[in-house]
Amino acid sequence: MSATAPGADTGASKGDGRGTRGTIRQDVTASLVVFLVAVPLCVGVAVASGVPAELGLITGIVGGLLTGFLPGSSLQVSGPAAGLTVLVYEAVERYGLAALGVLVLCAGLLQVAMGALRLGRWFRAISVAVVQGMLAGIGLVLIAGQVYALADLKAPSSGLDKLAGLPGLVSDILASDKALAALGIGVGTIVVLVVWPRWKAAARIVPAPLVAVAGATVAVAAFSLPVARVEVQGLIAAIQPPGGSEFSGLLEVGMIGTVIAFALIASAESLFSAAAVDRLHKGPRTDYDKELIAQGAGNAVCGVLGALPMTAVIVRSAANVQAGAKTRASRVLHGVWLLVFAAAFPAALGVIPVAALAGVLVHAGFKLIPWKDLGPLWREHRGELAILVITAVAVVVGNLFEGVLLGLLLAVAKTAWEISHVHVEVVEGSVEVAGVGGSACVRAPLRVRVLGNATFLRLPKLLDSLEALPTDRELHIDLSGLRHVDHACAMALATWEERHNALAVASEIPPVRVKAAVGGS
């Protein structure tokens, strides 16, 4: 009997496509549910990213047909994600739509390389507060930008400008009947997205995003409302493979930074989504390195097609699990339905109001902010909350890459500070010395024991404790109780001991030397 590693995704397991008739039926049903969830999200993310709507569908198709077949995670679904919307929009504004394919292709190849080097598991070491702060910042920027789209108005480019322009937005909406009509459609879409899931029986059959967008589309047609609709070019016409001239942009530091940001953020979001999806089902667990390779392969193909970058998306993945999916066949079939829809019914996209898609994304942005975690963090882990908030603010004020980098640095600094607990113990002693008139006890040098972890972060506190010791006694510092001492601390303590003893007042009887035990790693 051959042994199989726990969580291995083998052909004989439930993770393959050869299941029972009941399993196949459940996978087909789940794929239809995921397809209905994916259509408005794929189109909405594309529109919010400043690219043709069809490019979002292309990414969703690749996420199903290619990434869906590859090993890694059996049930999570990949496609364009709201989490990368802000970064894609900034990249398209700066480098142009033609360069998007190069950025996504290189990011995908970088992901494949990271997976081949078995770096996927290390993404689990990223501070949750940093990831939550990143998503919260993305959510805030997404909401601020899509509020303008709710009224069919153009949003400013930067996050700060979006926030600063909100007061003026109110007056612009009130002064325009078209803007008011679009706002009514957008707000109505959000209301449906919030209310519909509470009707659990209906929500299991028809997902809320489809109901909301379909209802908005019907309302616009029924009342002939003067609102903007999605512009359609056709699936084939939207494919724009990058040319040789676009690759020359990789010589720019900014473009390389964007590639790295695409790869790292897409990888982190996908692998955190995988961890969340694994908690929702009892099937095979995710192989993080294989999943990273699968995501990279999908992004490489999306780059060749000039489409949006993909990640594993928790909304679609959760819908897949909750709809009863058993194998990866469900996510592959969802890609098939997307392809059929985009090829056979492209005109259906042209009747969708932009304000409805903006409502879907405002709702998605709101869900990116970890509202439920803020209270517990404030009560129990305020340091983590500070990292979350600072990361989010940095994303809004600066950009996604700088915000995440700042958050990671803060998380490392916080961890280094917390593990650098150190305290000082002073041991008094005396030595019996024989003399002409008999023996006498004299004070021996103080023995100062330093315990804990001595790093440069705690050096000021440590030196303050030593400065409080008597200046008229020699002392010897014992470092054997330290679990760790860095070079800066070791040198500083040795120098301080030498200086202190040189200035100590000499006693009548020469001091007795006691060799200090020095340890640490």
Side-chain angles (χ1 to χ4, degrees), residues 176-187:
S176 171
D177 292 338
K178 292 183 178 180
L180 284 171
L183 181 64
I185 292 297
V187 172

Side-chain angles (χ1 to χ4, degrees), residues 233-270:
Q233 296 181 0
L235 195 64
I236 302 300
I239 297 175
Q240 297 181 0
S245 59
E246 278 77 34
F247 284 92
S248 62
L250 292 173
L251 298 175
E252 297 183 29
V253 175
M255 200 161 177
I256 294 175
T258 303
V259 168
I260 295 173
F262 272 10
L264 294 181
I265 294 171
S267 300
E269 188 169 346
S270 295

Side-chain angles (χ1 to χ4, degrees), residues 289-510:
D289 296 317
K290 290 181 179 179
E291 179 63 17
L292 192 53
I293 293 174
Q295 294 295 326
N299 271 321
V301 172
C302 287
V304 170
L305 299 176
L308 289 172
M310 75 165 60
T311 71
V313 189
I314 188 62
V315 175
R316 270 161 271 185
S317 302
N320 190 38
V321 175
Q322 292 164 1
K326 298 300 180 184
T327 74
R328 64 168 61 98
S330 61
R331 59 185 190 174
V332 175
L333 285 173
H334 120 274
V336 173
W337 309 141
L338 283 175
L339 177 60
V340 171
F341 173 81
F345 307 105
L349 299 177
V351 300
I352 299 175
V354 173
L357 297 178
V360 171
L361 290 173
V362 167
H363 183 258
F366 187 84
K367 292 175 68 175
L368 287 174
I369 302 172
W371 301 105
K372 294 181 180 179
D373 295 329
L374 297 181
L377 285 176
W378 172 257
R379 291 189 296 270
E380 301 172 12
H381 304 285
R382 294 188 182 181
E384 294 292 305
L385 179 61
I387 292 174
L388 188 158
V389 172
I390 292 173
T391 302
V393 171
V395 170
V396 173
V397 174
N399 57 55
L400 200 58
F401 185 71
E402 293 172 354
V404 172
L405 184 60
L406 177 60
L408 290 173
L409 291 175
L410 289 174
V412 171
K414 173 181 173 291
T415 301
W417 178 262
E418 288 181 343
I419 66 173
S420 297
H421 293 297
V422 63
H423 67 277
V424 173
E425 290 183 356
V426 179
V427 180
E428 287 278 1
S430 62
V431 177
E432 186 173 312
V433 179
V436 178
S439 61
C441 290
V442 298
R443 293 187 302 172
L446 292 174
R447 179 168 170 258
V448 180
R449 297 187 66 216
V450 184
L451 307 173
N453 297 280
T455 69
F456 69 95
L457 294 172
R458 297 286 182 168
L459 189 54
K461 176 184 177 181
L462 184 56
L463 292 177
D464 286 343
S465 298
L466 294 175
E467 293 290 353
L469 297 175
T471 58
D472 60 347
R473 296 278 300 277
E474 282 201 72
L475 57 81
H476 300 294
I477 299 177
D478 179 1
L479 305 183
S480 62
L482 286 174
R483 292 187 295 271
H484 171 77
V485 56
D486 64 17
H487 180 69
C489 256
M491 291 297 295
L493 292 175
T495 301
W496 186 93
E497 179 183 11
E498 182 180 354
R499 179 179 60 83
H500 176 91
N501 289 339
L503 297 176
V505 178
S507 59
E508 295 180 0
I509 300 177

Side-chain angles (χ1 to χ4, degrees), residues 6 18 31 33 94 140 169 178 206 234 237 244 271 276 294 305 314 425 435 441 487 512 519:
R18 303 188 301 273
S31 71
V33 172
R94 183 172 180 180
L140 291 172
L169 174 64
K178 292 183 178 180
V206 185
L271 298 184
L305 299 176
I314 188 62
E425 290 183 356
C441 290
H487 180 69
V512 178

